[in-house]
Amino acid sequence: MNNVEINQGEIKVKLKGLSDGKLSFAAMGFEKDVVNLESGLLRLVFDLKDIGEHNYYQVPTIEVFYEENMSETHWICEFNGKTILDKMDHHGNSTILLLNRKVLSELEQHHENAIIVHAEFPQPANINLEKSFIHFFK
């Protein structure tokens, strides 16, 4: 079972094993009252340290659905301290973050592997935990 840890301004998910296919935020253990984005800021940490050998999906994906129709959101993804994605998403109810499998493999370490997602919404947001998912591994 995955471990969801709530810290000041951060949600950290320790993935405990390889999960092939899509894994919803709800299935990871997120709870509705935990993902309260009153400030419009989100910081998600996916800790892959305990996974073992990584066999990445062709295009590792993070998809976040929100209830509100947002005019513009800013997303930054980091892996092991290096920015691997920085994008603006314009107008909608969801954002798809497509990560580069080759870059993830090159940055992978033996002792620490963490994907950090920063999001800035223009207003408070409510994340749909059933629709939002990650798809990292084959």
Side-chain angles (χ1 to χ4, degrees):
M1 186 67 175
N2 301 314
N3 180 17
V4 177
E5 181 182 311
I6 310 304
N7 297 313
Q8 182 69 20
E10 172 183 275
I11 300 168
K12 184 175 186 178
V13 181
K14 284 187 109 169
L15 298 174
K16 295 293 184 185
L18 286 176
S19 179
D20 56 349
K22 293 179 181 180
L23 183 60
S24 75
F25 283 20
M28 281 186 272
F30 284 61
E31 295 177 9
K32 191 72 171 164
D33 59 333
V34 168
V35 188
N36 181 354
L37 304 179
E38 290 295 321
S39 67
L41 301 174
L42 173 66
R43 178 181 161 96
L44 291 172
V45 178
F46 296 101
D47 185 345
L48 312 178
K49 178 172 50 178
D50 297 333
I51 296 290
E53 188 174 324
H54 301 79
N55 191 8
Y56 294 107
Y57 180 59
Q58 297 128 337
V59 181
T61 305
I62 302 168
E63 189 160 0
V64 181
F65 285 85
Y66 21 94
E67 305 298 333
E68 300 77 14
N69 195 354
M70 297 291 172
S71 59
E72 186 172 73
T73 53
H74 184 205
W75 296 84
I76 298 174
C77 286
E78 300 172 1
F79 186 58
N80 292 340
K82 181 166 174 54
T83 300
I84 58 173
L85 180 75
D86 187 344
K87 76 177 246 175
M88 296 296 286
D89 194 17
H90 303 284
H91 197 70
N93 291 81
S94 68
T95 297
I96 299 171
L97 304 173
L98 303 174
L99 307 178
N100 186 320
R101 174 179 59 172
K102 184 178 177 189
V103 170
L104 292 175
S105 294
E106 289 170 357
L107 294 173
E108 199 172 282
Q109 301 174 4
H110 290 290
H111 58 284
E112 182 179 343
N113 290 300
I115 295 174
I116 301 173
V117 178
H118 305 272
E120 186 176 341
F121 295 90
Q123 65 192 47
N126 293 297
I127 303 296
N128 183 319
L129 302 178
E130 295 297 327
K131 288 184 174 180
S132 297
F133 67 87
I134 61 170
H135 189 175
F136 291 155
F137 307 110
K138 289 183 190 177

